[in-house]
Amino acid sequence: MGEQNTDRTTSGRKKPPGSGAAKEGVDGAKAAAVIKAIQAEGVSRLEKEPPIPIGFCEALGMRVLAIGDGEALMATPWRPEFVGDPESGVIHGGVITTLLDTAAGFAAALAVGDIKGLVTLDLRIDYMRPAEPERVVFAKARSFRRARQITFIRATAFTDDEDNPVAVAVGAFMNGGAASAAADAAIKANNEQSTAAAPGDKAGKKRPKKETKKEKTS
């Protein structure tokens, strides 16, 4: 048997940079140990992990804990400024939504090996229960179907056990190349429409050109 190519996922796609160490996916022993440590020690343990250097994700304190072939495990801390209900201290649903969307997006990118131009086409989230105050919220996302242009993801947000979810999600993501092409086409169509019918025009009728006075020559 020849040497195995570790630069590709099990589906044959090339892995994104930095994903080579996550061959066993988010269900591996290492990921389970990280979850257990964070659950025991809380936010202080989570913050030992490097934050995601993307504006909004970094502002929400999100961390990537493990990645695999079409899989991602992420987490976000509980913070007073994230609270949606001051009386109970429950974290705002918008934080959970963003965490699930981001984890699902990472899983989709890992499934196709390209994050450039990735677009969320659809994301349905069902909330099961409030997240316990002052608890780290985890999100585990997996790809379950990969089409030519679209990748489908399932994701779960939880605090203690994945089988007792805070919320579950199903999403569809347009793959990088297809998303970029669609965006370019939409921008082109919008520009053509704007130039074809400027404000004040009727039925696409072109406005007459303004006459300019010729400069007198001495």
Side-chain angles (χ1 to χ4, degrees):
M1 183 180 293
E3 185 178 352
Q4 187 177 6
N5 182 1
T6 58
D7 290 333
R8 292 185 177 275
T9 63
T10 55
S11 61
R13 295 181 176 85
K14 192 172 182 180
K15 291 183 178 181
S19 62
K23 291 167 60 180
E24 63 183 10
V26 300
D27 293 321
K30 183 178 179 180
V34 172
I35 292 176
K36 187 175 181 180
I38 292 172
Q39 288 173 333
E41 300 177 36
V43 174
S44 61
R45 174 60 183 82
L46 176 64
E47 291 178 345
K48 292 179 181 179
E49 303 292 328
I52 301 174
I54 302 174
F56 192 47
C57 296
E58 189 170 9
L60 292 179
M62 291 185 189
R63 265 72 171 173
V64 178
L65 304 180
I67 56 176
D69 182 4
E71 301 180 53
L73 172 66
M74 299 178 60
T76 195
W78 180 95
R79 291 176 180 170
E81 58 267 34
F82 297 166
V83 169
D85 182 359
E87 291 187 3
S88 65
V90 170
I91 197 169
H92 194 284
V95 178
I96 307 296
T97 297
T98 304
L99 177 64
L100 285 168
D101 185 29
T102 306
F106 266 70
L110 289 160
V112 301
D114 185 12
I115 198 169
K116 184 179 179 181
L118 193 73
V119 174
T120 306
L121 291 179
D122 181 67
L123 184 67
R124 174 194 169 92
I125 298 177
D126 292 311
Y127 285 88
M128 303 291 156
R129 63 179 181 85
E132 298 91 332
E134 301 185 29
R135 295 285 301 277
V136 172
V137 182
F138 301 89
K140 186 180 288 185
R142 299 185 185 92
S143 164
F144 67 91
R145 180 174 174 78
R146 308 173 193 177
R148 186 170 63 88
Q149 294 185 341
I150 299 174
T151 301
F152 299 89
I153 305 292
R154 290 192 182 99
T156 305
F158 60 98
T159 54
D160 50 3
D161 189 343
E162 192 178 357
D163 293 330
N164 182 29
V166 171
V168 294
V170 178
F173 294 77
M174 184 175 286
N175 300 337
S180 297
D184 290 342
I187 292 170
K188 183 179 179 182
N190 182 67
N191 290 340
E192 289 176 350
Q193 185 177 5
S194 298
T195 55
D201 292 346
K202 294 182 179 179
K205 185 178 179 180
K206 294 183 178 180
R207 292 179 295 181
K209 294 182 178 180
K210 293 183 179 180
E211 296 182 359
T212 57
K213 293 182 180 180
K214 293 182 178 181
E215 293 182 0
K216 293 182 180 181
T217 57
S218 56

